[in-house]
Amino acid sequence: MPFISLLNYWKNHDIENVSNMIDDHVAAYYFNELGEPVALNKPVLIEMLRKRMKQIETDTHLQWNFEVVQRARIHDKQLVIFYTYSSENPNYQETEKTMIMMTFNSRTSNNIGRIKSIHITPHIKDFHN
């Protein structure tokens, strides 16, 4: 399961292996504060993650947390939607998260199941009354 490998590399700040999992022609979008998608290429995506990993590494109060929301299949691809956050709040609904949706192509004997698309939406909070 490529998703498990990805989270393992990510949590251990292994940017090289994360980069190897991302297809060179990845369709990546970052949704800004206005909800507008901003297209990213692979080098920009990797640099964003590298900067965030450095922030986590230097602050002892922060750690990577991942919460899988949905896993599904679309034809021969795997779709995964998950939250990631680096600081915990005792009131879970107030924890600010980043929602990430990824599709992985099918894994074959010659293919590690590369990431084909990524949608990143920061500043997510649970909806509650």
Side-chain angles (χ1 to χ4, degrees):
M1 297 195 345
F3 175 66
I4 301 300
S5 296
L6 172 71
L7 293 187
N8 203 18
Y9 296 145
W10 189 334
K11 191 166 188 90
N12 291 307
H13 301 142
D14 186 347
I15 195 73
E16 184 176 328
N17 276 319
V18 170
S19 181
N20 289 338
M21 291 191 74
I22 300 173
D23 188 87
D24 289 339
H25 304 288
V26 66
Y29 296 92
Y30 176 87
F31 290 83
N32 66 20
E33 296 80 23
L34 301 174
E36 299 167 335
V38 177
L40 306 172
N41 60 24
K42 182 177 176 178
V44 171
L45 182 64
I46 295 301
E47 187 56 30
M48 285 174 62
L49 186 55
R50 184 186 318 275
K51 285 180 182 175
R52 187 67 180 128
M53 284 180 173
K54 285 183 182 182
Q55 289 174 335
I56 302 297
E57 283 179 322
T58 59
D59 189 333
T60 58
H61 294 85
L62 300 178
Q63 68 175 9
W64 288 111
N65 296 285
F66 303 101
E67 178 184 338
V68 176
V69 176
Q70 181 70 41
R71 288 181 49 209
R73 287 217 166 274
I74 301 174
H75 302 288
D76 64 339
K77 294 176 178 45
Q78 179 183 19
L79 171 85
V80 180
I81 301 171
F82 64 98
Y83 291 128
T84 184
Y85 52 98
S86 55
S87 61
E88 296 188 32
N89 185 332
N91 183 356
Y92 179 77
Q93 287 79 15
E94 295 300 317
T95 301
E96 192 171 275
K97 305 167 190 84
T98 297
M99 184 173 64
I100 300 176
M101 182 182 76
M102 293 183 175
T103 56
F104 294 83
N105 64 355
S106 60
R107 187 175 192 166
T108 64
S109 60
N110 298 334
N111 179 349
I112 61 169
R114 295 204 189 286
I115 299 165
K116 299 299 283 182
S117 69
I118 303 173
H119 296 161
I120 304 165
T121 308
H123 311 298
I124 299 288
K125 286 191 180 177
D126 288 344
F127 182 78
H128 57 282
N129 296 334

